[in-house]
């Protein structure tokens, strides 16, 4: 066991500068934690050798669960005994990452008692992450977490911990209650969260408005992004005040509109709402003058992923406008149909977006029973995956032929 | 007549035992195999219940190696004891 903090000249470089440093935090933890001391040692070694020293995956977990714990062993247990086991525990975060100070203290106490004391608030999936646990401490940690009202999150080929932005709790642009939907989906998909049964991971992420602060469109298999379908609410007096205060509305608002649907004549702002693409730019620039419409709901998109096996994918529109209302049965029925199809036909480690690319969006829509819509196509005639076969007559192909 | 969870679980356990060390089986592999074997007598819900039974009883465990699998409990080769 390491008794003193090792020399780490390369890691020390990362402490320089005005930004926060994970090295500084690990060094702070190393004063009390032998695991943190050995972690510094192995990190410095990895920086020198330019190779990692972790063995990933395996059998570790808590009884009954297939997700929530990511197994990690060091390949140098003799040199760094403190981190010979260094498993990661994912804990299901509260919707919108709202905690009481008491809840945070409880989590820290549990982790100081059983693990390395190192946390990651939060992981890219959104979960609270406990870094560095011995195999024999997994069950006690789980027991203490359960007593404190926390559950493990997702890992492996399952529904990952649903995640959302702060929504209507703190944001005036939220077009639906992201927190309620996230909580509902988390409770509904408990089995799928804890018992991996899919070809690969499946992520839900909820954003309250098209600003998409949780970047759901780029990293969730199912992105549910708030939107509206009526006109942007406008206060012309406030628009004028922005102009009077020096904002160049023609250049900085209308000129940057991707839908080119705005016009400023120096006195009045006009919006052709049918050409609005709901990008939120104008609303973000003039929040006192413009607001999302009143008829609010969400757009449901499907299929994004990060570039792990193949290239990155952005989500495609699945339902252009949906009114999220409890108990959200319509969405859950659709998701179940998709999961059934993907489980039946998907290959191992194939995300649902890749599956759609392989079978074709037209075939996918047909199988899940959704009608193709123009909103599902990125640009007219650029992406001809939807065929309107019902419009063809039998003798259409004969026209013009000799 | 529909199969019971226990019957499906036993058939799954036999599959996992036969495959141990030869092929890693995903939960979907087990469910598909049961559907092929028993047809309508083993629906998806029943099969999922059987996997739950196997894991909760400790007869099988979830493992992860790129994807998630169901295997017999064993000593992990990567483990540092």
């Amino acid at each position: 066991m390491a008794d003193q903090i090792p020399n780490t000249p390369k890691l020390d470089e990362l402490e320089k500068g005005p930004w926060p440093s994970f090295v500084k935090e690990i060094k702070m933890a190393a004063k009390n934690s032998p695991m943190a001391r050995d972690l510094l040692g192995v990190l410095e070694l990895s920086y020198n050798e330019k190779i990692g020293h972790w063995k990933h995956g395996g059998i570790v977990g808590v009884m009954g669960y297939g997700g929530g714990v990511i197994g990690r062993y060091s390949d140098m247990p003799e040199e760094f005994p403190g981190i010979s086991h260094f498993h990661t525990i994912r804990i299901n975060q509260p919707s919108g990452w709202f905690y009481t100070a008491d809840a945070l203290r409880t989590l820290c106490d549990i982790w100081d008692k059983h693990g390395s004391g190192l946390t990651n608030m939060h992981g890219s999936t959104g979960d609270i992450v406990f870094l560095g646990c011995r195999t024999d401490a997994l069950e006690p940690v789980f027991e203490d977490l359960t007593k404190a009202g926390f559950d493990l999150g997702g890992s492996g080929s399952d529904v990952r911990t649903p995640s959302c932005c702060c929504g209507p709790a703190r944001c005036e642009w939220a077009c639906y209650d992201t927190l309620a939907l996230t909580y509902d989906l988390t409770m509904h998909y408990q089995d799928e969260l804890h018992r991996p049964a899919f070809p690969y991971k499946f992520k839900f992420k909820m954003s309250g408005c098209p600003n998409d602060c949780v970047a759901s469109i780029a990293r969730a298999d199912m992105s549910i992004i708030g939107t509206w379908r009526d006109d942007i609410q406008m206060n012309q007096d406030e628009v004028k005040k922005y102009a009077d205060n020096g904002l160049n509305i023609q250049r900085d608002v209308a000129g940057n509109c991707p839908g080119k649907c705005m016009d400023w004549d120096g006195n009045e702002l006009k919006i052709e709402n049918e050409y609005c693409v709901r990008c939120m730019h104008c609303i973000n620039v003039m929040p006192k003058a413009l607001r999302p419409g009143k008829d609010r709901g969400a757009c449901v998109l499907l299929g994004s992923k990060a570039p792990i096996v193949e290239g990155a994918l952005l989500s495609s529109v699945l339902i252009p406008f949906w009114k999220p209302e409890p108990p959200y049965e319509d969405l859950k029925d659709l998701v179940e149909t998709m999961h059934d199809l993907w489980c039946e036909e998907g290959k191992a480690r194939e995300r649902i977006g890749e599956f759609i690319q392989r079978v074709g969006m037209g075939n996918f829509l047909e199988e899940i029973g959704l009608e193709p819509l123009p909103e599902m196509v990125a640009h007219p005639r650029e992406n001809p995956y939807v065929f309107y076969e019902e419009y063809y007559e039998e003798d259409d192909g004969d026209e013009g032929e000799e | 007549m529909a199969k019971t969870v226990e019957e499906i679980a036993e058939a799954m356990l036999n599959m996992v035992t036969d495959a141990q060390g030869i092929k890693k089986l995903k939960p979907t592999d087990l469910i598909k195999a049961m559907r092929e074997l028993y047809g309508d007598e083993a629906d998806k819900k029943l099969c999922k219940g059987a996997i739950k039974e196997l894991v909760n009883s400790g007869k099988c465990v979830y493992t992860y190696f790129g994807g998630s699998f169901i295997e017999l409990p064993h000593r992990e080769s990567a483990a540092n004891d």
Side-chain angles (χ1 to χ4, degrees), chain A residues 55-60 63-66 73-74 77 84-85 156-157 191-192 195-197 200 336 340 343-344 348-349, chain B residues 26-28 32 44 48 51-52 55-58 61-68 72-74 76-81:
Chain A
K55 298 182 282 184
H56 171 63
I59 206 168
V60 292
M63 187 72 175
Y65 278 29
Y73 292 101
S74 166
S84 65
H85 303 199
S157 304
D191 242 23
E192 284 75 14
R195 300 172 187 284
Y200 205 21
E336 189 176 346
D340 285 348
C343 286
E344 192 69 30
R349 299 197 77 196
Chain B
K26 298 190 297 288
T28 40
K32 278 183 188 173
K44 194 181 80 176
K48 286 176 87 172
I51 292 173
K52 192 173 180 177
V55 175
N56 284 351
S57 65
V61 289
Y62 285 106
T63 60
Y64 182 81
F65 195 79
S68 296
L72 297 180
H74 59 277
E76 200 175 325
S77 56
N80 299 322
D81 292 334

Side-chain angles (χ1 to χ4, degrees), chain A residues 73-295:
Chain A
Y73 292 101
S74 166
D75 68 356
M76 305 178 77
E78 287 81 21
E79 291 85 345
F80 302 103
I83 52 165
S84 65
H85 303 199
F86 204 75
H87 311 313
T88 297
I89 302 177
R90 285 196 184 138
I91 301 155
N92 197 321
Q93 82 281 12
S95 296
W97 302 290
F98 287 104
Y99 307 92
T100 60
D102 192 41
L104 286 173
R105 283 194 192 95
T106 304
L107 287 170
C108 291
D109 288 345
I110 291 170
W111 198 224
D112 279 341
K113 183 176 159 194
H114 297 291
S116 71
L118 298 170
T119 65
N120 177 1
M121 305 289 277
H122 301 84
S124 59
T125 306
D127 315 71
I128 305 156
V129 180
F130 283 179
L131 295 159
C133 187
R134 292 193 62 79
T135 306
D136 51 12
L138 287 170
E139 288 291 347
V141 171
F142 180 53
E143 192 182 330
D144 284 357
L145 285 170
T146 308
K147 278 181 196 160
F150 284 92
D151 193 6
L152 297 192
S155 69
S157 304
D158 58 10
V159 167
R160 296 301 180 84
T161 319
S163 173
C164 65
C165 67
C166 60
R170 291 190 65 198
C171 179
E172 58 189 317
W173 305 141
C175 293
Y176 73 100
D177 193 340
T178 53
L179 308 159
L181 179 60
T182 302
Y183 179 75
D184 191 283
L185 292 179
T186 305
M187 301 312 284
H188 182 79
Y189 290 106
Q190 282 291 294
D191 242 23
E192 284 75 14
L193 239 164
H194 298 138
R195 300 172 187 284
F198 293 154
Y200 205 21
K201 65 183 97 166
F202 189 92
K203 299 179 179 178
F204 289 102
K205 293 197 193 301
M206 277 55 78
S207 281
C209 79
N211 277 330
D212 195 11
C213 292
V214 289
S216 66
I217 199 165
R219 59 200 192 101
D221 296 274
M222 177 162 275
S223 323
I224 301 170
I225 302 176
T227 187
W228 64 95
R229 58 182 169 184
D230 55 349
D231 294 350
I232 292 176
Q233 300 180 67
M234 189 162 35
N235 182 331
Q236 291 289 359
D237 293 338
E238 290 293 343
V239 175
K240 279 218 71 172
K241 278 186 195 168
Y242 275 106
D244 293 344
N245 288 333
L247 177 66
N248 187 332
I249 295 181
Q250 184 55 42
R251 187 191 66 194
D252 296 336
V253 182
N256 288 334
C257 173
K260 301 295 173 208
C261 68
M262 315 189 89
D263 190 45
W264 168 248
D265 61 6
N267 201 34
E268 190 183 16
L269 182 69
K270 287 182 183 152
I271 302 175
E272 286 186 80
N273 278 277
E274 58 268 39
Y275 293 108
C276 172
V277 295
R278 313 307 194 252
C279 76
M280 293 288 291
H281 171 70
C282 59
I283 297 174
N284 291 333
V285 177
M286 300 194 293
K288 289 181 182 172
L290 302 175
R291 302 182 68 79
K294 290 178 179 169
D295 188 8

